[in-house]
Amino acid sequence: MNTKYFFYALIASAAVLAGCESPVQVNETATPIVAIAETQPVESSDDAADDPAIWVHPENPEASLILGTDKRSGLGVYSLEGELVQFLNRGRLNNVDIRQNVPTNQGVMDIIVATNRTHIALDIFSIDNRGEVHLLLSQPLDTVDPYGVCMGLDNDGNAYAYTNDSETSEYQQWRLNPEGELSPELVGSWQLNSQPEGCAVHDASQTLYFGEENYGLWKMPANANRADEMLLIEPVGNGQLVADIEGMDIYEKGTTRWLVVSSQGDYSYAVYDLNNNDAYLGSFRVVDNLELGVDGSEETDGLTLSAAYLGEKYSLGMLVVQDGFNRLPNDNQNFKMIPWESIIGAFGTSQ
């Protein structure tokens, strides 16, 4: 064990015991796993890093990239080694998501969306085969405070963004490429009773999963006009989810189709089997990897998953989570990278 990082860990533990952070009932029953890498800290201090997404390089998996929002200043682009390779100053970007191979009248494109709280807009970017991100347009939103967002792609090549508002609790569905034109149009909207944020779309079944932060985990058809079919998968406070419900994403490979959800209030991640009536499989948490000097994650906002081969370290894919308290040593917030093999091991299964 690296003695330097052991020393940092002792300092961090002492700070918590001394009451430097609000006491949290950590989910001690959650299976501990470790991250093997982390991104550079975001430039902004305090609560700034928020939500990641993964872009898979079409030819060179090791050259894939992690997108991460700094909700005080813009969008960071990181290598799989965690190095910042590009930053787009766009103001207060909150959540981000991506779909690749989206058909448009400009050709097939990889599209990124992010909610922009500075401009009250949905920022839409493209990423080329060199991994360079470019702003395409910024779609104004008739909302108060754009917050969460996720993307979906249907069998006809229609790309959608699902945005929500932290003040009004309204969801909106936008078609991004009607008739192939990159000219977003509002499809419909629906209302929740309290604040939402994280969401994820399973494209094959056209199902939207989303959290109502202090109430529960929901699903519905990925169609704003079918919001009356909303079903509650899991309420907050039953032992699996502790408010706030935050980021979520879907891992699908072979016979596995799992939804991973950030249970922010107890520093854990709940896993649901979407092939088995959304059954709760268990929870894990990310703890300090003292051998590599990568600290664990707490109070996670956003997360993302990829089932793609991303090199030998991530042969079955990768989970990326935002870390609310970046230690070893103490620094601004960042994002942690975990091989999917670790999550499989936590549940005693194989692929």
Side-chain angles (χ1 to χ4, degrees):
M1 179 186 297
N2 189 312
T3 55
K4 178 180 73 172
Y5 293 116
F6 180 68
F7 176 70
Y8 283 134
L10 288 177
I11 291 175
S13 297
V16 173
L17 291 174
C20 294
E21 291 161 6
S22 301
V24 171
Q25 189 64 44
V26 176
N27 185 351
E28 298 293 350
T29 65
T31 302
I33 64 173
V34 295
I36 65 169
E38 60 187 329
T39 66
Q40 291 177 221
V42 297
E43 183 175 341
S44 302
S45 59
D46 300 321
D47 184 23
D50 195 84
D51 190 40
I54 298 169
W55 175 73
V56 180
H57 194 288
E59 298 173 355
N60 181 9
E62 288 85 353
S64 299
L65 298 169
I66 296 168
L67 311 163
T69 58
D70 179 333
K71 60 187 175 186
R72 297 180 183 271
S73 61
L75 181 66
V77 184
Y78 303 89
S79 70
L80 295 188
E81 288 72 42
E83 297 176 351
L84 183 68
V85 297
Q86 186 182 1
F87 191 84
L88 294 93
N89 290 288
R90 287 296 303 159
R92 299 167 57 221
L93 296 189
N94 202 65
N95 279 20
V96 63
D97 203 3
I98 185 170
R99 283 295 185 271
Q100 297 186 229
N101 301 314
V102 176
T104 75
N105 59 3
Q106 301 175 39
V108 176
M109 303 176 70
D110 295 347
I111 300 293
I112 301 161
V113 297
T115 41
N116 192 319
R117 303 170 83 179
T118 296
H119 301 293
I120 316 298
L122 179 68
D123 280 0
I124 302 174
F125 306 86
S126 67
I127 182 168
D128 61 32
N129 285 352
R130 296 172 298 176
E132 293 185 5
V133 178
H134 309 272
L135 179 68
L136 294 175
L137 61 100
S138 189
Q139 171 65 44
L141 296 175
D142 183 21
T143 57
V144 178
D145 184 36
Y147 202 47
V149 69
C150 55
M151 278 192 74
L153 187 64
D154 69 18
N155 291 331
D156 296 321
N158 296 301
Y160 296 93
Y162 302 81
T163 67
N164 58 54
D165 189 300
S166 71
E167 294 292 331
T168 66
S169 304
E170 181 187 54
Y171 256 98
Q172 293 183 346
Q173 180 183 5
W174 290 82
R175 183 183 290 115
L176 303 180
N177 60 337
E179 306 299 326
E181 295 280 347
L182 285 173
S183 179
E185 63 179 18
L186 183 63
V187 173
S189 64
W190 71 98
Q191 191 74 35
L192 297 181
N193 292 324
S194 62
Q195 183 171 303
E197 186 178 16
C199 60
V201 178
H202 182 246
D203 290 343
S205 66
Q206 284 295 284
T207 304
L208 172 68
Y209 298 86
F210 57 98
E212 192 171 356
E213 289 191 349
N214 293 295
Y215 186 80
L217 173 65
W218 296 90
K219 74 173 182 179
M220 61 176 267
N223 184 332
N225 297 315
R226 298 177 63 182
D228 58 347
E229 299 177 43
M230 283 173 49
L231 291 174
L232 185 66
I233 296 174
E234 190 90 78
V236 163
N238 66 347
Q240 280 77 52
L241 294 171
V242 178
D244 292 347
I245 298 175
E246 293 284 339
M248 62 188 68
D249 208 351
I250 297 164
Y251 181 94
E252 183 168 31
K253 191 169 191 174
T255 59
T256 299
R257 181 157 55 107
W258 290 358
L259 175 71
V260 178
V261 181
S262 170
S263 175
Q264 189 181 64
D266 65 356
Y267 299 171
S268 72
Y269 309 87
V271 182
Y272 298 87
D273 187 350
L274 304 186
N275 285 332
N276 185 25
N277 297 315
D278 311 316
Y280 171 71
L281 291 177
S283 295
F284 64 91
R285 55 194 177 97
V286 181
V287 301
D288 292 349
N289 185 340
L290 298 177
E291 186 67 29
L292 295 180
V294 180
D295 61 307
S297 60
E298 302 84 24
E299 207 171 85
T300 289
D301 283 321
L303 63 79
T304 191
L305 284 161
S306 175
Y309 175 85
L310 298 174
E312 291 185 5
K313 292 181 180 179
Y314 307 102
S315 61
L316 295 179
M318 170 193 283
L319 167 68
V320 181
V321 301
Q322 181 262 2
D323 181 15
F325 306 121
N326 183 26
R327 306 189 177 99
L328 298 182
N330 290 333
D331 210 330
N332 292 343
Q333 295 178 341
N334 68 351
F335 302 93
K336 306 311 200 231
M337 291 102 90
I338 301 109
W340 185 253
E341 290 93 327
S342 299
I343 289 92
I344 294 171
F347 294 93
T349 60
S350 61
Q351 282 181 319

